[in-house]
Amino acid sequence: MDSSEENDADLQSQIEEIEALSSIYGDEWCVIDEASRIFCIRISDDTHQPKWTVCLQIILPPDYPSSAPPIYQINAAWLRGRDRMTLSNSLEELYVENTGESILYLWVEKIREFLIEKSQSAEGPETGKTMTTEEEGHDYDEDDLPDYSMLKLANQSAQLFSDTSDDEELPPIKHGETITDRRSTFQPHLAPVVTPKQVQRVLNNLYENKKIASATHNIYAYRIYFEDKNSFLQDCEDDGETAAGGRLLHLLQEETSKAGGKNKRSKGKKAK
């Protein structure tokens, strides 16, 4: 099968999977951007009286499911540290066990299983949160807002790289020009990284800037190619800006394709 036939087969598989998920989950399933293949599903431990709820955001790459996993982001203000790492690891293990197959239904039910187990073994999420909002002051439901405290930034960025060593080299960081649009200000930051530890070093360095650390949304994405495994390590963070981290990661994927697939190893971050 040539690449065009494979892409057509992937697209057909995606269409069938999306139709099935929409039928199964009804209003819980949401199309964010059909053209960009961005979707979201709200998952709870109980459909009538939910105690624990997360929002799973998904971007389907053109070569999913044949040779690439979905890009995903789990949004929940209470999901931090060990819980987030445990859940992410379980999803990645499921993908490895089912490489080349449609995986979203298995992911959704794995997350639901995780929430049910948590509901049976613990109290509900804490309601006291430290929040910040943008200057224009939108009306948000508090449960939909993530915790923007410094502790959150430290916990989320540390979950995959808690063993970062002090001798890991800090890559050069380029800071782009700020852009203001509708009373929101954006600034990009870019650094070339070749290890996960370097990603953490870059994040730590940026968060030392009080203006960046206190920004309403700190969005980042990274993508690293490992030749020995012939695969990419990638992740992204929305920080409350729906699907923004996934879109940033999608841009990195496009740049990788333009550069020939393997020699573009960069990480981008945008503060808002």
Side-chain angles (χ1 to χ4, degrees):
M1 182 182 296
D2 60 30
S3 58
S4 62
E5 290 176 337
E6 190 172 77
N7 288 340
D8 290 342
D10 281 331
L11 179 58
Q12 184 60 37
S13 294
Q14 289 184 22
I15 292 172
E16 292 174 357
E17 184 176 21
I18 291 166
E19 289 178 349
L21 292 170
S22 178
S23 175
I24 293 170
Y25 297 113
D27 292 340
E28 291 183 333
W29 178 261
C30 176
V31 178
I32 296 176
D33 188 335
E34 187 168 7
S36 299
R37 317 301 287 168
I38 303 175
F39 307 93
C40 179
I41 181 168
R42 186 178 179 88
I43 309 167
S44 302
D45 60 319
D46 189 298
T47 55
H48 301 294
Q49 293 181 320
K51 183 187 296 185
W52 301 91
T53 300
V54 303
C55 178
L56 176 66
Q57 295 176 7
I58 302 154
I59 295 181
L60 300 182
D63 48 356
Y64 165 81
S66 66
S67 57
I71 302 166
Y72 74 94
Q73 176 69 34
I74 304 171
N75 287 338
W78 57 267
L79 187 62
R80 305 188 184 95
R82 186 178 298 277
D83 278 346
R84 180 175 286 271
M85 183 169 61
T86 298
L87 184 54
S88 295
N89 286 343
S90 67
L91 298 187
E92 290 160 12
E93 288 173 3
L94 264 180
Y95 173 75
V96 171
E97 293 170 0
N98 298 273
T99 300
E101 301 176 15
S102 298
I103 194 70
L104 297 183
Y105 176 78
L106 294 178
W107 274 6
V108 172
E109 292 309 309
K110 173 60 71 172
I111 293 173
R112 197 183 308 279
E113 178 183 314
F114 172 86
L115 297 178
I116 291 173
E117 290 178 357
K118 192 165 184 63
S119 177
Q120 294 172 344
S121 63
E123 296 297 324
E126 296 180 3
T127 56
K129 305 183 183 76
T130 302
M131 302 291 180
T132 62
T133 58
E134 297 180 34
E135 292 180 75
E136 54 266 39
H138 298 296
D139 293 326
Y140 290 115
D141 184 328
E142 184 181 28
D143 289 337
D144 293 332
L145 284 171
D147 184 340
Y148 291 115
S149 67
M150 287 297 292
L151 180 60
K152 167 189 176 293
L153 294 176
N155 282 343
Q156 284 193 345
S157 61
Q159 60 181 293
L160 290 177
F161 317 108
S162 58
D163 60 344
T164 301
S165 60
D166 293 335
D167 59 354
E168 186 74 24
E169 181 182 358
L170 175 67
I173 304 174
K174 294 183 179 181
H175 307 281
E177 297 292 330
T178 58
I179 300 172
T180 300
D181 179 36
R182 287 168 291 185
R183 292 189 294 177
S184 291
T185 301
F186 303 82
Q187 182 178 20
H189 312 276
L190 181 68
V193 295
V194 294
T195 69
K197 292 182 179 181
Q198 285 188 328
V199 176
Q200 185 58 50
R201 288 297 302 272
V202 170
L203 289 171
N204 289 344
N205 182 273
L206 290 171
Y207 290 148
E208 288 175 3
N209 184 310
K210 292 181 179 179
K211 188 173 182 180
I212 293 175
S214 62
T216 304
H217 303 295
N218 280 301
I219 303 157
Y220 67 83
Y222 66 87
R223 183 169 165 84
I224 304 170
Y225 181 75
F226 291 95
E227 292 186 5
D228 57 337
K229 297 181 180 180
N230 192 31
S231 63
F232 286 91
L233 174 65
Q234 60 187 27
D235 199 3
C236 60
E237 170 60 44
D238 289 340
D239 201 18
E241 185 76 357
T242 302
R247 291 176 185 273
L248 194 60
L249 181 55
H250 186 62
L251 290 176
L252 291 180
Q253 289 181 316
E254 290 182 347
E255 288 300 312
T256 301
S257 298
K258 293 177 183 177
K262 301 180 182 180
N263 61 345
K264 197 76 172 182
R265 308 174 190 177
S266 59
K267 170 213 168 270
K269 177 179 183 297
K270 179 168 64 175
K272 177 181 177 183

Coordinates of all heavy atoms in Angstrom, one line a residue, residues 31 128 143:
V31 N -17.1 18.1 19.0 CA -16.2 18.4 17.8 C -15.8 19.9 18.0 O -16.5 20.8 18.0 CB -16.9 18.3 16.5 CG1 -16.0 18.7 15.3 CG2 -17.4 16.9 16.3
G128 N -11.4 24.4 47.0 CA -10.6 25.6 47.1 C -9.5 25.7 46.1 O -8.6 24.9 46.1
D143 N -15.4 25.2 38.1 CA -14.9 23.8 37.9 C -14.2 23.6 36.6 O -13.5 22.6 36.5 CB -16.1 22.9 38.0 CG -16.7 22.8 39.4 OD1 -16.0 23.1 40.4 OD2 -17.9 22.4 39.5

